[in-house]
Amino acid sequence: QVQVVESGGGAVQAGGSLRLSCAASGRTFSSYAMGWFRQAPGKEREFVVAIRSGGDTWYVDSVKGRFTISRDNAKNTVYLQMNSLKPEDTAVYYCAADRNNYGLTYRDYEYWGQGTQVTVSS
């Protein structure tokens, strides 16, 4: 069983930055695809970004150029650096792990964190 724990959420003004962290258990963390999803009130959970074990990344268009995902396999941690935040980025952000290293759709991920709230005010 893989445990996933997010941290780093908070409240910022538009244009500000936050860095989310996601720690995952498991001796084979380096082989997982890791992803971030978000869910705003009244909306479905949406894909934000993913990173595979080899470092390939995918971003939803709305965050390209503003968000950056990275991973530190020595620390079993993935990071999401969020810059130039906008009010529409407000959501609960979820980290997830995919043991099969696909990571492109919601259904690929077997393990999920509890989420961390990000609130961006205008």
Side-chain angles (χ1 to χ4, degrees), residues 11-26:
V12 296
Q13 291 189 331
S17 299
L18 282 173
R19 189 176 82 154
L20 305 183
S21 298
C22 170
S25 63

Side-chain angles (χ1 to χ4, degrees), residues 17-41:
S17 299
L18 282 173
R19 189 176 82 154
L20 305 183
S21 298
C22 170
S25 63
R27 289 178 290 179
T28 56
F29 171 84
S30 62
S31 68
Y32 304 160
M34 298 296 296
W36 288 95
F37 291 73
R38 65 186 179 186
Q39 188 166 18

Side-chain angles (χ1 to χ4, degrees), residues 37-97:
F37 291 73
R38 65 186 179 186
Q39 188 166 18
K43 295 188 177 181
E44 294 186 352
R45 193 172 299 190
E46 67 166 347
F47 171 86
V48 178
V49 61
I51 184 167
R52 285 183 174 170
S53 62
D56 291 342
T57 58
W58 287 265
Y59 294 86
V60 68
D61 285 346
S62 60
V63 307
K64 285 180 180 177
R66 300 189 299 122
F67 289 14
T68 303
I69 190 171
S70 61
R71 65 190 300 160
D72 184 340
N73 291 331
K75 296 182 178 180
N76 278 25
T77 300
V78 64
Y79 303 98
L80 182 61
Q81 178 66 44
M82 305 186 295
N83 299 328
S84 302
L85 282 161
K86 303 176 181 180
E88 50 264 43
D89 295 318
T90 295
V92 177
Y93 283 70
Y94 296 91
C95 181

